[in-house]
Amino acid sequence: MKQSLIIGWLYPELMSTYGDRGNIITLQKRCEWRRIEAKINRLDLGFTINDLKKCDFLFMGGAQDRQQQIVADDLMKKREGLMQMIEDGIPGLYVCGAYQFLGKYYKEANGKIINGLGILDLYTENPGISFSRLIGNCVARVLNDKIIVGFENHGGRTYLGKQVKPLGRVIKGYGNNGKDQNEGAIYKNSFGTYFHGPILPKNPEFADYLIKISLEKKYDSPVNLSPLEDSLEIKAHNAIAKRLNIKL
Ligand code: GLN
């Protein structure tokens, strides 16, 4: 039986920065190279909860405060549907501004509060325009000791509550807030991260992990993905680590 994945891409025009759309291309290609059909569902402003519920995996990228303001009202209308999917364990990757939306609120540099979905036990505050943004290449140790590399650029500092675990520990860079060494968050099969770049092309193991758990969730049986020829991906991964003097 041919396997397939419907990948829901939330707000592709507004919530996508620093190459985030590369994550969609990576998931699609790594499926297709294994003869797994990957269908991309673009969920633009005004999408319905029915559209959302058709998806086997959810992706949402980052954005500047301005775009987050535009998206906020529309996203809040989908809160119940999204919360149910996240609670049911539908896998998803939420990058930077999207990750901030999963929490209680995001306080912008000007002090204005953007309400969050309140699905994950976290909140984000930008300490103000006089504070520098957290910018640069970054490396973290995540899941079972995997090393991921990426690029971060955020003014917001995120603080995790007790109900969520960090995605990983920062080895180089700032991560959630530049203080507690935490990077991202995990809640059931939902992953929040500050890693742009995009994150998945240079971290093929993490990309495959997301594909594997999405297929296992959909087909309710264990999945072993066939290996791919990743020399280019690994070269790019190692190049960032080398540039940051990280021994792999
Ligand atoms: N606007 C948010 C911040 O500055 C998110 C930035 C992003 O998604 N890159 O923290």
Side-chain angles (χ1 to χ4, degrees):
M1 177 191 70
K2 185 164 171 101
Q3 293 180 318
S4 68
L5 276 184
I6 301 177
I7 298 172
W9 186 7
L10 284 78
Y11 307 106
E13 300 303 327
L14 288 160
M15 298 295 295
S16 187
T17 186
Y18 310 116
D20 288 340
R21 79 187 183 88
N23 295 312
I24 291 286
I25 299 169
T26 300
L27 292 167
Q28 192 169 25
K29 285 293 164 202
R30 296 187 74 81
C31 284
E32 288 169 359
W33 291 333
R34 294 172 169 120
R35 301 190 190 296
I36 299 163
E37 192 195 340
K39 185 174 173 303
I40 310 300
N41 245 6
R42 293 172 63 94
L43 302 169
D44 290 296
L45 275 178
F47 70 84
T48 69
I49 291 188
N50 280 345
D51 299 331
L52 194 64
K53 294 216 160 153
K54 292 185 189 124
C55 304
D56 307 308
F57 178 85
L58 299 174
F59 174 74
M60 188 167 156
Q64 304 315 318
D65 295 6
R66 177 100 192 80
Q67 284 82 8
Q68 288 174 284
Q69 285 161 12
I70 296 168
V71 160
D73 292 348
D74 189 73
L75 183 61
M76 289 315 132
K77 294 181 194 136
K78 287 50 181 267
R79 182 178 180 278
E80 291 311 316
L82 195 53
M83 180 148 78
Q84 200 185 341
M85 291 178 81
I86 290 177
E87 288 298 337
D88 289 352
I90 299 294
L93 177 65
Y94 306 85
V95 177
C96 205
Y99 164 37
Q100 295 168 345
F101 265 133
L102 294 177
K104 296 183 185 87
Y105 66 87
Y106 165 45
K107 190 172 106 180
E108 297 178 67
N110 60 14
K112 194 166 164 286
I113 298 283
I114 296 182
N115 288 325
L117 294 158
I119 299 173
L120 269 61
D121 182 13
L122 58 92
Y123 66 90
T124 304
E125 297 194 348
N126 185 320
I129 39 178
S130 59
F131 287 76
S132 53
R133 293 179 65 80
L134 306 181
I135 300 177
N137 288 317
C138 38
V139 179
R141 192 182 298 282
V142 303
L143 301 171
N144 321 326
D145 241 14
K146 288 190 182 57
I147 300 284
I148 58 168
V149 302
F151 167 79
E152 59 185 329
N153 181 342
H154 52 112
R157 277 81 167 158
T158 295
Y159 303 91
L160 305 183
K162 292 196 174 51
Q163 310 305 322
V164 283
K165 285 187 309 183
L167 171 61
R169 299 292 285 172
V170 171
I171 299 173
K172 198 91 181 204
Y174 302 100
N176 285 355
N177 50 51
K179 289 211 178 74
D180 62 15
Q181 297 303 307
N182 286 333
E183 189 324 85
I186 300 181
Y187 178 69
K188 298 196 173 182
N189 286 327
S190 292
F191 302 86
T193 180
Y194 270 116
F195 281 34
H196 292 282
I199 183 174
L200 297 182
K202 289 191 284 295
N203 301 291
E205 283 183 296
F206 187 36
D208 284 354
Y209 177 74
L210 297 175
I211 294 170
K212 176 179 160 57
I213 60 172
S214 302
L215 289 168
E216 288 179 342
K217 176 74 188 164
K218 180 172 183 176
Y219 296 101
D220 194 21
S221 64
V223 166
N224 285 314
L225 294 175
S226 52
L228 294 174
E229 201 290 309
D230 284 334
S231 54
L232 210 52
E233 290 83 350
I234 292 162
K235 225 176 179 174
H237 178 99
N238 296 353
I240 298 283
K242 190 158 176 257
R243 197 186 297 174
L244 298 176
N245 299 321
I246 304 291
K247 289 244 167 322
L248 292 174

